[in-house]
Amino acid sequence: MKAESVKAEPVKVEPVMGAGFDPAFVPGITGPTPTDGVAKSPEPKGAQEPPSAEPASPERVDAEEAGAEAVADADAEDVADADAEDKADGPVFEASDRRARIVADRKGVRLSLDEEACEFRWDEIAAVETESPRFGKRYTITVHTPDRRWYPIEIEAAARARFKEWDEQIDAVLDAYFEEA
């Protein structure tokens, strides 16, 4: 008997892609926000006024400071008005404990656990599922996306009586904003 030699053929395999290699692969996860206080200027860099050669008069400096304070006050009022519009616009569901937080409003659903957060617009959501345990105080909300991914979060309630209240609030939000396809 003769032994035949076996040739190994190279295997052509596509590289594995996914959340294990690229965190941006998971939809809904947002990147960290800068904390160094970077301010963006609405004007392009070339449009800024060049410094003048003449010294600034005290009246001009005071007027500029007063104008800057007025703009800051107006911006704060605009933000407060926008927040009031968001809250007055429709039902809002908020639940949180020491680690987790969920907010569902007209913009969508935002989940956060410790320092991690993700945000889903209503058009990115296939279903929202709630679950109350038979025993214990952990209320589970799961956001399902159309690409068969799900994102559960557990909120620890102070008392089991909160479950019924949370169910009613989340149902009101879903009835108002979520459109089934």
Side-chain angles (χ1 to χ4, degrees), residues 51-109:
S52 62
E54 56 187 69
S57 65
E59 297 90 23
R60 183 174 178 186
V61 172
D62 291 340
E64 288 176 357
E65 289 176 1
E69 289 176 6
V71 168
D73 291 341
D75 288 344
E77 289 175 6
D78 289 343
V79 169
D81 291 342
D83 289 343
E85 281 181 15
D86 289 346
K87 291 180 182 176
D89 202 271
V92 176
F93 171 73
E94 290 187 48
S96 63
D97 63 6
R98 59 187 171 82
R99 293 185 61 205
R101 177 180 170 90
I102 180 169
V103 177
D105 57 12
R106 69 178 183 84
K107 295 178 184 177
V109 177

Coordinates of all heavy atoms in Angstrom, one line a residue, residues 51-109:
P51 N -7.3 92.0 15.9 CA -7.1 92.9 17.0 C -6.6 94.3 16.5 O -5.8 94.4 15.6 CB -6.0 92.3 17.9 CG -5.3 91.3 17.0 CD -6.3 90.9 15.9
S52 N -7.2 95.3 17.1 CA -6.9 96.7 16.6 C -5.6 97.2 17.3 O -5.3 96.7 18.4 CB -8.1 97.6 16.9 OG -8.3 97.7 18.3
A53 N -5.0 98.1 16.7 CA -3.7 98.6 17.2 C -4.0 99.6 18.4 O -3.1 99.9 19.2 CB -2.9 99.3 16.1
E54 N -5.2 100.2 18.4 CA -5.4 101.2 19.4 C -5.9 100.5 20.7 O -6.5 99.5 20.7 CB -6.5 102.2 19.0 CG -7.8 101.6 18.5 CD -8.7 102.5 17.9 OE1 -8.5 103.0 16.8 OE2 -9.8 102.8 18.6
P55 N -5.5 101.1 21.9 CA -5.9 100.4 23.2 C -7.4 100.5 23.4 O -8.0 101.5 22.9 CB -5.1 101.3 24.2 CG -4.8 102.6 23.6 CD -4.7 102.3 22.1
A56 N -8.0 99.5 24.0 CA -9.4 99.5 24.3 C -9.7 100.5 25.4 O -9.1 100.5 26.4 CB -9.8 98.1 24.7
S57 N -10.8 101.3 25.2 CA -11.2 102.2 26.2 C -12.0 101.5 27.2 O -12.6 100.5 27.0 CB -12.0 103.3 25.5 OG -13.2 102.8 25.0
P58 N -12.0 102.0 28.5 CA -12.8 101.4 29.5 C -14.3 101.2 29.2 O -14.9 100.3 29.6 CB -12.6 102.2 30.8 CG -11.4 103.1 30.5 CD -11.3 103.2 29.0
E59 N -14.8 102.3 28.5 CA -16.3 102.2 28.2 C -16.5 101.0 27.2 O -17.5 100.3 27.3 CB -16.8 103.5 27.6 CG -16.7 104.7 28.5 CD -15.3 105.4 28.3 OE1 -14.7 105.3 27.3 OE2 -15.0 106.1 29.3
R60 N -15.6 100.8 26.3 CA -15.8 99.8 25.3 C -15.7 98.4 25.9 O -16.4 97.5 25.6 CB -14.7 99.9 24.2 CG -14.9 98.9 23.1 CD -14.0 99.2 21.9 NE -14.1 98.1 20.9 CZ -13.4 98.0 19.9 NH1 -12.4 98.8 19.7 NH2 -13.6 97.1 19.0
V61 N -14.7 98.2 26.8 CA -14.6 97.0 27.5 C -15.8 96.7 28.4 O -16.3 95.5 28.4 CB -13.3 97.0 28.4 CG1 -13.2 95.8 29.3 CG2 -12.0 97.1 27.6
D62 N -16.3 97.7 29.1 CA -17.5 97.5 29.9 C -18.7 97.1 29.0 O -19.5 96.2 29.3 CB -17.9 98.7 30.7 CG -16.9 99.0 31.8 OD1 -16.2 98.0 32.2 OD2 -16.8 100.1 32.3
A63 N -18.9 97.7 27.8 CA -20.0 97.4 26.9 C -19.8 96.0 26.4 O -20.8 95.3 26.3 CB -20.0 98.4 25.8
E64 N -18.6 95.6 26.1 CA -18.4 94.2 25.6 C -18.7 93.2 26.6 O -19.4 92.2 26.4 CB -17.0 94.1 25.1 CG -16.7 94.8 23.8 CD -15.2 94.7 23.4 OE1 -14.4 94.1 24.2 OE2 -14.9 95.2 22.3
E65 N -18.3 93.5 27.9 CA -18.6 92.5 29.0 C -20.1 92.5 29.2 O -20.7 91.4 29.4 CB -17.9 93.0 30.3 CG -16.4 92.7 30.2 CD -15.7 93.3 31.5 OE1 -16.4 93.8 32.4 OE2 -14.5 93.1 31.5
A66 N -20.8 93.6 29.2 CA -22.3 93.6 29.4 C -23.0 92.9 28.2 O -23.9 92.1 28.5 CB -22.8 95.1 29.4
G67 N -22.5 93.0 27.0 CA -23.0 92.3 25.9 C -22.9 90.8 26.0 O -23.7 90.0 25.7
A68 N -21.7 90.4 26.5 CA -21.4 89.0 26.7 C -22.3 88.4 27.7 O -22.8 87.3 27.6 CB -19.9 88.8 27.0
E69 N -22.5 89.1 28.8 CA -23.4 88.7 29.9 C -24.8 88.6 29.4 O -25.6 87.6 29.7 CB -23.4 89.6 31.1 CG -22.0 89.5 31.8 CD -22.0 90.6 33.0 OE1 -23.0 91.2 33.2 OE2 -20.9 90.7 33.6
A70 N -25.3 89.5 28.6 CA -26.6 89.5 28.0 C -26.8 88.3 27.1 O -27.9 87.6 27.1 CB -27.0 90.8 27.3
V71 N -25.8 88.0 26.3 CA -25.9 86.8 25.4 C -25.9 85.5 26.2 O -26.7 84.6 25.9 CB -24.7 86.8 24.4 CG1 -24.6 85.5 23.7 CG2 -24.8 87.9 23.4
A72 N -25.1 85.4 27.3 CA -25.1 84.2 28.1 C -26.5 84.1 28.8 O -27.0 83.0 28.9 CB -24.0 84.3 29.2
D73 N -27.1 85.2 29.3 CA -28.4 85.1 29.9 C -29.5 84.7 28.9 O -30.3 83.8 29.2 CB -28.8 86.5 30.5 CG -28.0 86.8 31.7 OD1 -27.4 85.9 32.3 OD2 -27.9 88.0 32.1
A74 N -29.4 85.2 27.7 CA -30.3 84.8 26.6 C -30.2 83.3 26.3 O -31.2 82.6 26.1 CB -30.1 85.7 25.4
D75 N -28.9 82.8 26.2 CA -28.7 81.4 25.9 C -29.3 80.6 27.0 O -29.9 79.5 26.7 CB -27.2 81.1 25.7 CG -26.7 81.7 24.4 OD1 -27.5 82.0 23.5 OD2 -25.4 81.8 24.3
A76 N -29.1 80.9 28.3 CA -29.7 80.2 29.4 C -31.2 80.2 29.3 O -31.8 79.1 29.6 CB -29.2 80.7 30.7
E77 N -31.8 81.3 29.0 CA -33.3 81.3 28.8 C -33.7 80.4 27.7 O -34.8 79.8 27.8 CB -33.7 82.8 28.6 CG -33.6 83.6 29.9 CD -34.0 85.1 29.6 OE1 -34.4 85.4 28.5 OE2 -33.8 85.9 30.5
D78 N -33.0 80.4 26.6 CA -33.4 79.6 25.4 C -33.3 78.1 25.8 O -34.2 77.3 25.4 CB -32.5 79.8 24.2 CG -32.7 81.2 23.6 OD1 -33.8 81.8 23.9 OD2 -31.8 81.7 22.8
V79 N -32.3 77.7 26.5 CA -32.2 76.3 27.0 C -33.3 76.0 27.9 O -33.9 74.9 27.8 CB -30.8 76.1 27.6 CG1 -30.7 74.7 28.3 CG2 -29.7 76.2 26.6
A80 N -33.6 76.9 28.8 CA -34.7 76.6 29.8 C -36.1 76.5 29.0 O -36.9 75.7 29.3 CB -34.8 77.7 30.8
D81 N -36.3 77.4 28.0 CA -37.5 77.3 27.2 C -37.6 76.0 26.4 O -38.6 75.4 26.3 CB -37.6 78.5 26.2 CG -37.8 79.8 26.9 OD1 -38.2 79.8 28.1 OD2 -37.5 80.9 26.3
A82 N -36.4 75.6 25.8 CA -36.4 74.3 25.1 C -36.7 73.1 26.0 O -37.5 72.2 25.6 CB -35.1 74.1 24.4
D83 N -36.2 73.1 27.2 CA -36.5 72.1 28.2 C -37.9 72.1 28.5 O -38.6 71.0 28.7 CB -35.6 72.2 29.4 CG -34.1 71.9 29.2 OD1 -33.9 71.2 28.1 OD2 -33.3 72.3 30.0
A84 N -38.5 73.3 28.7 CA -39.9 73.4 29.1 C -40.8 72.9 27.9 O -41.8 72.2 28.2 CB -40.3 74.8 29.4
E85 N -40.4 73.2 26.7 CA -41.1 72.7 25.5 C -41.1 71.2 25.5 O -42.1 70.5 25.2 CB -40.6 73.3 24.2 CG -41.0 74.7 23.9 CD -40.4 75.2 22.6 OE1 -39.9 74.3 21.8 OE2 -40.4 76.4 22.4
D86 N -39.9 70.6 25.7 CA -39.8 69.1 25.7 C -40.7 68.5 26.7 O -41.3 67.5 26.5 CB -38.3 68.7 25.9 CG -37.4 69.0 24.8 OD1 -38.0 69.3 23.7 OD2 -36.2 69.0 25.0
K87 N -40.7 69.0 27.9 CA -41.5 68.5 29.0 C -43.0 68.7 28.7 O -43.8 67.9 29.1 CB -41.1 69.0 30.3 CG -39.7 68.5 30.7 CD -39.3 69.1 32.1 CE -37.9 68.6 32.4 NZ -37.4 69.2 33.6
A88 N -43.4 69.9 28.2 CA -44.8 70.2 28.0 C -45.3 69.5 26.7 O -46.5 69.5 26.5 CB -45.0 71.7 27.9
D89 N -44.4 69.0 25.9 CA -44.8 68.5 24.5 C -45.6 67.2 24.6 O -46.5 67.0 23.8 CB -43.6 68.3 23.7 CG -43.9 68.3 22.2 OD1 -44.2 67.2 21.7 OD2 -43.9 69.4 21.6
G90 N -45.4 66.4 25.6 CA -46.1 65.1 25.7 C -45.6 64.4 26.9 O -44.8 64.9 27.8
P91 N -46.0 63.1 27.0 CA -45.7 62.3 28.2 C -44.2 62.0 28.2 O -43.5 61.8 27.2 CB -46.5 61.1 28.1 CG -46.9 61.0 26.6 CD -46.9 62.4 26.1
V92 N -43.6 61.9 29.4 CA -42.2 61.5 29.6 C -42.1 60.4 30.6 O -42.8 60.5 31.7 CB -41.4 62.8 30.0 CG1 -40.0 62.4 30.3 CG2 -41.4 63.9 29.0
F93 N -41.3 59.4 30.4 CA -41.1 58.4 31.4 C -39.6 58.5 31.8 O -38.7 58.5 31.0 CB -41.3 57.0 30.8 CG -40.9 55.9 31.7 CD1 -41.6 55.6 32.8 CD2 -39.8 55.2 31.4 CE1 -41.2 54.5 33.6 CE2 -39.3 54.1 32.2 CZ -40.1 53.8 33.3
E94 N -39.4 58.6 33.1 CA -38.1 58.6 33.7 C -38.1 57.6 34.9 O -39.0 57.7 35.8 CB -37.7 60.0 34.2 CG -37.5 61.0 33.1 CD -36.9 62.3 33.6 OE1 -36.0 62.2 34.4 OE2 -37.4 63.3 33.2
A95 N -37.1 56.8 34.9 CA -36.9 55.9 36.1 C -35.4 55.8 36.3 O -34.6 55.7 35.3 CB -37.5 54.6 35.8
S96 N -34.9 55.7 37.5 CA -33.5 55.6 37.8 C -33.3 55.0 39.2 O -34.1 55.0 40.0 CB -32.8 56.9 37.6 OG -33.2 57.8 38.6
D97 N -32.1 54.4 39.3 CA -31.6 54.0 40.6 C -30.2 54.5 40.8 O -29.8 55.3 40.0 CB -31.8 52.5 40.8 CG -31.0 51.6 39.8 OD1 -30.2 52.2 39.1 OD2 -31.1 50.4 39.8
R98 N -29.5 53.8 41.6 CA -28.1 54.3 41.9 C -27.2 54.1 40.7 O -26.2 54.8 40.6 CB -27.5 53.7 43.2 CG -27.5 52.2 43.1 CD -27.1 51.6 44.5 NE -27.2 50.2 44.5 CZ -26.3 49.3 44.0 NH1 -25.2 49.8 43.4 NH2 -26.5 48.1 44.0
R99 N -27.4 53.2 39.8 CA -26.5 52.9 38.7 C -27.2 53.1 37.4 O -26.5 53.5 36.4 CB -26.1 51.4 38.8 CG -25.2 51.1 39.9 CD -24.7 49.7 39.9 NE -23.9 49.5 38.7 CZ -23.8 48.3 38.1 NH1 -24.3 47.2 38.6 NH2 -23.0 48.2 37.0
A100 N -28.5 52.8 37.2 CA -29.1 52.8 35.9 C -30.1 53.9 35.8 O -30.7 54.4 36.8 CB -29.8 51.5 35.7
R101 N -30.4 54.3 34.5 CA -31.4 55.4 34.3 C -32.0 55.1 32.9 O -31.3 54.8 32.0 CB -30.7 56.7 34.3 CG -31.6 57.9 34.0 CD -30.8 59.2 34.1 NE -31.6 60.3 33.5 CZ -32.4 61.1 34.3 NH1 -32.5 60.8 35.5 NH2 -33.0 62.0 33.7
I102 N -33.3 55.3 32.8 CA -33.9 55.3 31.5 C -34.8 56.5 31.4 O -35.5 56.9 32.3 CB -34.8 54.0 31.3 CG1 -35.4 54.0 29.9 CG2 -35.8 53.8 32.4 CD1 -36.0 52.7 29.5
V103 N -34.8 57.1 30.2 CA -35.7 58.3 29.9 C -36.3 58.0 28.5 O -35.6 57.7 27.5 CB -34.9 59.6 29.8 CG1 -35.8 60.7 29.4 CG2 -34.2 59.9 31.1
A104 N -37.6 58.1 28.4 CA -38.3 57.9 27.2 C -39.2 59.1 27.0 O -40.0 59.5 27.9 CB -39.2 56.6 27.2
D105 N -39.0 59.9 25.9 CA -39.8 61.1 25.7 C -40.0 61.2 24.2 O -39.8 60.2 23.4 CB -39.1 62.3 26.3 CG -37.7 62.5 25.8 OD1 -37.3 61.9 24.8 OD2 -37.0 63.3 26.4
R106 N -40.3 62.4 23.7 CA -40.6 62.6 22.3 C -39.4 62.3 21.4 O -39.5 62.0 20.2 CB -41.2 63.9 22.0 CG -40.3 65.1 22.2 CD -40.9 66.4 21.8 NE -40.1 67.5 21.9 CZ -39.2 67.9 21.0 NH1 -39.2 67.3 19.8 NH2 -38.4 68.9 21.2
K107 N -38.2 62.5 21.9 CA -36.9 62.3 21.1 C -36.6 60.8 20.9 O -36.0 60.4 20.0 CB -35.8 62.9 21.8 CG -35.9 64.4 21.9 CD -34.7 65.0 22.6 CE -34.8 66.5 22.8 NZ -33.7 67.1 23.6
G108 N -37.0 59.9 21.9 CA -36.7 58.5 21.8 C -36.4 58.0 23.2 O -37.0 58.5 24.2
V109 N -35.6 56.9 23.3 CA -35.3 56.2 24.5 C -33.8 56.3 24.8 O -33.0 56.1 23.9 CB -35.8 54.8 24.5 CG1 -35.4 54.0 25.7 CG2 -37.2 54.6 24.2

